[in-house]
């Protein structure tokens, strides 16, 4: 990661105040919830975006058997009780809209085997809107205030279910937030004109705004989100029975001015749970260089260790412990709602089954490559040019982040149903970036290219010039896929950039910021190596141990 050995050790001056100013944090004001909590649940392997397949009678019996073991129904008795308990757990789940942004996410592109990847945004909320959360810390003036998305991790499950990748975004990341509409109040939060901290997204209508911001930044289609709060982290850690973590020397996260999470551990490995687990996930002062980047690395270690604990199953044979875990998980989670969402125990169970297919040695935790800002942003971070885009592209293209050979199958090619002269195409200029104006005449230039290749029914859309990081060919219905692919092939655009989207009424080519120059499109090849700056951590690494910041020993 940039700064490992070269980055100056800069401590946070404090979190941004609700009024936009900076305020010092007290021990209770360390705001990361550790909401990377347990990724609860995907859908049937390789299904298209839109949620799990529905169960038949056999599938329902399988789920009931699982719930029976969770609730010790052999004692309570009866499948009827199992059904009632499922409904009880379903009632525990809180639900919200998947995205609150105006930009519709494109569908995943299936590979030759008909498999599609799955992306889930894990959000840790610092909400202090309940007695349970308030008991776990926080200044009283933040009680009931808009929550912050202090932990954000994108979990990518490969199309063939052979590997899993996680990208964490530091909460101190500065970026532009898109327009979001609160689904309850209908209040519209306009797109920011300047850079804001990513954790502010949650207060702009809910987790759906955090999802919209990720999509705007990365271009990665997000299928689901799962959000957890302070008390949820504690209850789930207790239900699991504790998670082993390691520090290279004694650590006490506490400063002379009263800052820090309060975590106090002896050198070596300790199994932590309850409030101590929350302290670990929130600790910044005392880990590595005292910044949010060290905290993110500690969260990765915790999640990997938790997954290994769950996989070993030593704590999951007792029906009582299983019931506690089911209660803790469903009560702590807010998930995306709707027919395609994760708003039921059945769908969470399906997701868990999909996640279980990936061996821990193929799980890779990474941090979004970043650089420190300058001036007023010197203690905040920005996506690192080149490296961050490379990491995002690898996930978009379903390239494993663990460096192992990809088992990806090429996207399925379909025959066009018409000749080029019979295929209408609309071209948009999306070459604008955060720092560059759109390139004048790009849509006209690409129209000329298409016309020269026989697509004589090409027109320009001058009304829609939304910025696009990548060039895309979108089509609204399956019957147009072959024709859309023909457009892409004519210009050298990869089939992975051809996607179905209800956001267009016909075949639409958006010229992105990756095609600002004249001539045919030259797709930047997805590199098969994760940038060193992403600081990859393998899920099977039991030797991982946190470096301790000088001055925080005891």
């Amino acid at each position: 990661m940039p700064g490992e050995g070269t980055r100056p050790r800069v401590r946070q001056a404090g979190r941004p105040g609700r009024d936009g100013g900076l305020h010092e944090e007290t021990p209770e004001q360390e705001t990361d919830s550790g909401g990377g909590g347990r990724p609860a649940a995907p859908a049937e392997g390789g299904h298209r975006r839109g949620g799990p397949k529905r169960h038949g009678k056999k599938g329902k019996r399988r789920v009931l058997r699982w719930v029976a073991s969770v609730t010790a129904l052999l004692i309570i008795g009866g499948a009827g009780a199992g059904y009632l308990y499922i409904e009880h757990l379903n009632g525990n789940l809180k639900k919200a809209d998947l995205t609150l942004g105006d930009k519709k996410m494109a569908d995943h592109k299936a590979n030759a085997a008909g498999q599609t990847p799955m992306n889930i945004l894990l959000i840790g909320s610092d909400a202090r809107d309940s007695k349970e959360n308030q008991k776990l810390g926080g200044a009283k003036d933040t009680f009931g205030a808009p929550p912050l998305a202090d932990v954000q991790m994108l979990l990518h499950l490969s199309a063939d279910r052979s590997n899993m990748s996680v990208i964490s975004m530091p909460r101190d990341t500065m970026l532009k937030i898109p327009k979001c509409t609160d689904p309850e109040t209908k209040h519209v939060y306009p797109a920011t004109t300047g850079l804001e901290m990513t954790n502010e997204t949650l207060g702009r209508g809910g987790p759906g705004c955090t999802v919209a911001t990720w999509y705007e930044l990365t271009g990665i289609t997000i299928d689901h989100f799962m959000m957890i709060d302070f008390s949820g982290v504690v209850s789930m850690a207790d239900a699991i029975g504790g998670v082993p973590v390691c520090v290279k020397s004694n650590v006490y996260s506490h400063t002379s001015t009263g800052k820090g999470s309060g975590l106090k551990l002896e050198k070596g490995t300790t199994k932590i749970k309850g409030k101590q687990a929350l302290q670990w996930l929130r600790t910044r002062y005392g880990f590595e260089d005292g910044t949010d980047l060290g905290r993110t690395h500690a969260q990765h270690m915790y999640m990997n260790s938790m997954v290994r604990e769950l996989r070993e199953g030593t704590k999951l044979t007792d029906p009582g412990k299983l019931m506690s875990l089911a209660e803790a998980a469903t009560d702590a989670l807010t998930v995306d709602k709707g027919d395609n969402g994760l708003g039921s125990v059945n769908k969470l169970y399906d997701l868990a089954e999909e996640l279980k297919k990936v061996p821990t040695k193929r799980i890779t935790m990474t941090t979004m490559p970043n650089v420190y800002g300058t001036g007023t942003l010197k203690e905040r971070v920005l996506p690192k040019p080149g490296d961050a885009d490379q990491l995002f592209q690898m996930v978009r293209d379903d390239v494993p982040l663990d460096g192992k050979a990809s088992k990806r199958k090429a996207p399925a090619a379909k025959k066009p149903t018409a000749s080029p002269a019979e295929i209408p195409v609309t071209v948009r200029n999306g070459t604008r970036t955060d720092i560059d104006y759109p390139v004048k005449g790009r849509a006209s230039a690409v129209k000329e290219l298409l016309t020269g290749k026989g697509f004589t029914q090409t027109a320009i859309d001058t009304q829609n010039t939304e910025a696009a990081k990548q060039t895309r060919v979108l089509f609204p219905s399956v019957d147009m896929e072959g024709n859309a692919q023909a457009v892409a092939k004519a210009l050298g655009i990869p089939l992975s950039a051809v996607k179905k989207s209800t956001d267009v009424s016909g075949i639409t080519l958006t010229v992105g910021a990756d095609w600002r120059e004249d001539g045919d499109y030259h797709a930047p090849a997805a590199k098969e190596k994760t940038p060193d700056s992403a600081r990859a951590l393998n899920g099977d690494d039991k030797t991982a141990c946190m470096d301790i910041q000088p001055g925080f020993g005891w």
Side-chain angles (χ1 to χ4, degrees):
M1 170 171 297
E4 284 299 310
T6 58
R7 172 176 288 171
R9 294 186 175 183
V10 180
R11 294 189 188 178
Q12 301 293 0
R15 66 185 292 174
R18 309 276 176 177
D19 58 359
L22 294 177
H23 299 286
E24 292 291 315
E25 293 180 347
T26 65
E28 293 80 14
Q29 284 176 308
E30 286 259 54
T31 56
D32 281 32
S33 69
R38 166 176 178 260
E44 295 295 324
H47 71 77
R48 288 182 179 272
R49 179 170 177 259
K53 294 179 180 177
R54 297 190 179 278
H55 292 291
K57 291 182 179 179
K58 184 176 180 180
K60 290 180 179 178
R61 288 196 298 271
R62 176 165 55 92
V63 173
L64 284 175
R65 285 198 298 272
W66 170 69
V67 175
S69 67
V70 173
T71 59
L73 289 179
L74 291 175
I75 298 174
I76 300 176
Y83 172 78
L84 291 175
Y85 194 70
I86 289 177
E87 290 304 299
H88 162 70
L89 294 177
N90 286 340
N92 285 348
L93 290 168
K94 295 174 283 295
K95 308 172 189 70
D97 290 341
L98 174 62
T99 178
L100 303 181
D102 289 342
K103 186 175 291 187
K104 295 181 180 178
M105 291 183 283
D107 288 345
H108 289 299
K109 178 66 180 176
N111 61 21
Q115 300 168 311
T116 55
M118 181 180 296
N119 298 310
I120 307 163
L121 187 63
L122 308 178
I123 304 171
S125 164
D126 80 337
R128 297 184 176 92
D129 52 1
S130 68
K131 291 182 179 179
E132 291 80 5
N133 284 324
Q134 291 169 6
K135 288 177 182 178
L136 293 171
K140 291 184 177 180
D141 60 0
T142 67
F143 289 3
L148 298 173
D150 274 348
V151 176
Q152 299 175 37
M153 298 182 179
L154 182 69
L155 186 154
H156 171 79
L157 186 62
S158 68
D160 62 8
R161 303 307 191 247
S162 69
N163 64 90
M164 185 191 306
S165 304
V166 175
I167 301 176
S168 286
M169 185 185 296
R171 70 139 195 202
D172 295 334
T173 300
M174 304 298 293
L175 42 67
K176 289 186 176 180
I177 302 175
K179 171 186 173 184
C180 292
T181 302
D182 189 310
E184 301 296 329
T185 65
K186 306 305 178 185
H187 176 75
V188 176
Y189 295 87
T192 62
T193 55
L195 300 178
E196 301 290 341
M197 271 181 65
T198 183
N199 66 352
E200 295 286 347
T201 55
L202 195 56
R204 295 166 64 89
C209 192
T210 309
V211 169
T213 302
W214 268 81
Y215 184 64
E216 188 83 14
L217 175 68
T218 68
I220 298 171
T221 294
I222 297 173
D223 303 280
H224 305 290
F225 73 78
M226 294 165 42
M227 183 171 71
I228 190 170
D229 59 17
F230 284 167
S231 60
V233 173
V234 171
S235 59
M236 290 181 69
D238 285 345
I240 292 170
V243 174
V245 294
C246 176
V247 290
K248 292 184 178 179
S249 58
N250 293 354
V251 62
Y252 181 31
S253 179
H254 183 77
T255 71
S256 59
T257 56
K259 298 176 184 176
S261 69
L263 178 72
K264 191 172 186 179
L265 291 177
E266 292 184 355
K267 174 183 178 180
T269 300
T270 304
K271 182 166 282 191
I272 59 174
K273 61 180 181 178
K275 188 172 183 179
Q276 198 173 37
L278 179 62
Q279 289 174 332
W280 174 276
L281 293 164
R282 294 170 63 195
T283 293
R284 181 176 77 233
Y285 298 113
F287 282 165
E288 298 184 343
D289 62 357
T291 70
D292 191 52
L293 304 177
R295 169 162 45 193
T296 297
H297 194 214
Q299 291 166 357
H300 291 169
M301 289 185 185
Y302 180 92
M303 286 188 67
N304 279 344
S305 184
M306 179 175 65
V307 169
R308 291 194 297 268
E309 286 290 293
L310 290 170
R311 292 287 176 87
E312 290 172 1
T314 54
K315 301 296 183 295
L316 301 182
T317 56
D318 184 324
K321 290 186 179 296
L322 281 168
M323 188 193 317
S324 297
L325 182 58
E327 287 282 353
T330 54
D331 195 52
L333 290 173
T334 299
V335 297
D336 54 300
K337 65 181 182 181
D339 294 340
N340 299 326
L342 292 176
S344 73
V345 171
N346 281 13
K347 291 183 178 180
L348 290 174
Y349 177 74
D350 286 339
L351 176 56
E353 289 297 292
E354 292 299 296
L355 293 173
K356 282 167 59 178
K357 294 177 181 178
V358 180
T360 54
K361 65 182 179 181
R362 296 301 310 277
I363 297 174
T364 307
M365 299 279 180
T366 64
T367 300
M368 179 196 75
N370 56 83
V371 293
Y372 276 118
T374 58
T376 58
L377 301 181
K378 67 180 181 180
E379 292 176 342
R380 304 292 179 229
V381 298
L382 304 168
K384 183 178 182 181
D387 281 9
D389 291 334
Q390 178 183 332
L391 192 67
F392 299 152
Q393 184 178 346
M394 290 179 72
V395 171
R396 286 196 304 270
D397 292 346
D398 202 22
V399 177
L401 298 186
D402 58 7
K404 296 186 178 181
S406 173
K407 297 180 181 179
R408 293 174 298 134
K409 296 183 179 180
K414 295 193 175 182
K415 292 183 179 180
T417 60
S419 66
E422 299 173 309
I423 300 176
V425 183
T426 299
V427 181
R428 297 173 175 174
N429 184 352
T431 57
R432 175 171 55 83
T433 71
D434 289 344
I435 59 176
D436 296 310
Y437 289 108
V439 178
K440 292 183 179 180
R442 286 303 294 134
S444 296
V446 173
K447 175 188 175 183
E448 289 182 12
L449 282 174
L450 280 171
T451 301
K453 295 177 184 295
F455 292 87
T456 54
Q457 293 192 49
T458 301
I460 299 173
D461 181 358
T462 58
Q463 301 301 312
N464 191 321
T465 57
E466 281 191 13
K469 292 181 181 295
Q470 296 82 34
T471 296
R472 291 285 183 265
V473 180
L474 304 180
F475 60 93
S477 56
V478 176
D479 60 303
M480 293 187 184
E481 185 171 7
N483 294 347
Q485 288 184 350
V487 172
K489 288 179 181 179
L491 297 172
I493 299 171
L495 294 186
S496 60
V498 181
K499 296 180 180 290
K500 181 175 178 292
S501 173
T502 57
D503 201 27
V504 296
S505 58
I507 296 174
T508 302
L509 166 60
T510 299
V511 184
D514 58 347
W515 196 11
R516 292 173 61 88
E517 303 295 330
D518 289 337
D520 285 354
Y521 180 79
H522 297 288
K527 298 180 181 178
E528 298 285 334
K529 182 181 183 301
T530 301
D532 292 338
S533 56
R535 201 176 183 184
L537 180 65
N538 186 271
D540 233 15
D541 185 357
K542 296 182 180 180
T543 67
C545 200
M546 284 301 296
D547 286 313
I548 303 306
Q549 185 181 9
F552 286 87
W554 57 277

